[in-house]
Amino acid sequence: MQKILVIGSPGSGKSTFAVQLSKQLDLPVIHLDKLNWIDDKNTLNPAGFDELLEKVLKKDSWIIDGNYSRTLSKRLDYADTVIWLDLPKTICIYRIWKRYIKGKMTKSRTYGNPIKLEPGFVKFVWNFNHTNRPIILKILNENKHKKVIILKNQFEIEEIKKQF
């Protein structure tokens, strides 16, 4: 495994998992949010994002974490493995609230750690498995030659880490 995609709902633990996996496998980690966001309010236009992503994809090895379903098929063209953190929505909602509160208390920010929780974002996370899972499944089914690991809970996540 030299080119790994880590996908899943916001709050599923993609970034944390990708960083841990990066340390274990000695592969660089790329966070799509860091590529896309210019600052707290502005993102790159799609063409600018696609240009940066293309440069990353052509590298010899990487772990890329993030959803960005618009570019999932393109990323799959280059990836050899997909790890899908397919966790229950209640866990994801809990984690985004926890991350938000922790950020407020410590006055620290990380990517994916919003200054405020927009109702639209919370609704997106709540509905992610209903609206986005079918899209992800369709794209993955179109790429059956890829190795896909689907992890449904924290126990499975911890177990897979032991295998790397």
Side-chain angles (χ1 to χ4, degrees):
M1 294 187 311
Q2 292 296 306
K3 295 185 175 188
I4 304 167
L5 296 180
V6 179
I7 61 174
S9 171
S12 63
K14 295 179 304 295
S15 296
T16 300
F17 181 82
V19 167
Q20 291 168 346
L21 195 59
S22 169
K23 290 176 184 173
Q24 287 179 267
L25 300 177
D26 194 29
L27 297 174
V29 65
I30 309 297
H31 304 284
L32 292 182
D33 281 344
K34 285 185 180 181
L35 282 184
N36 190 47
W37 286 89
I38 298 167
D39 56 35
D40 291 334
K41 298 177 184 172
N42 300 295
T43 60
L44 291 174
N45 62 44
F49 177 78
D50 291 350
E51 185 178 320
L52 287 178
L53 180 60
E54 187 72 28
K55 289 177 185 174
V56 168
L57 293 173
K58 289 182 178 177
K59 293 183 179 185
D60 291 334
S61 62
W62 39 254
I63 298 171
I64 297 177
D65 93 87
N67 289 306
Y68 296 78
S69 58
R70 181 181 68 79
T71 65
L72 181 55
S73 292
K74 178 73 165 177
R75 287 179 279 136
L76 275 168
D77 288 343
Y78 290 84
D80 54 49
T81 306
V82 178
I83 300 174
W84 181 5
L85 306 183
D86 188 21
L87 275 59
K89 64 184 170 185
T90 51
I91 298 294
C92 296
I93 291 289
Y94 167 76
R95 287 179 175 176
I96 65 167
W97 278 101
K98 181 180 166 186
R99 183 171 59 198
Y100 168 72
I101 291 167
K102 182 180 177 186
K104 285 290 189 188
M105 291 173 61
T106 62
K107 304 279 192 255
S108 66
R109 293 214 52 246
T110 59
Y111 286 92
N113 186 5
I115 293 173
K116 63 181 184 173
L117 280 179
E118 299 287 341
F121 177 67
V122 175
K123 183 178 179 183
F124 172 77
V125 175
W126 185 256
N127 293 322
F128 186 89
N129 288 339
H130 178 72
T131 57
N132 290 61
R133 183 185 281 137
I135 295 166
I136 293 169
L137 284 170
K138 180 181 182 294
I139 293 170
L140 292 178
N141 282 331
E142 292 168 355
N143 291 273
K144 289 185 184 227
H145 59 285
K146 301 294 178 177
K147 179 178 182 179
V148 177
I149 301 167
I150 301 174
L151 305 171
K152 297 282 196 179
N153 55 55
Q154 195 61 39
F155 176 79
E156 290 179 357
I157 292 170
E158 295 306 319
E159 286 300 306
I160 200 78
K161 284 191 234 176
K162 293 175 187 176
Q163 296 177 26
F164 294 111

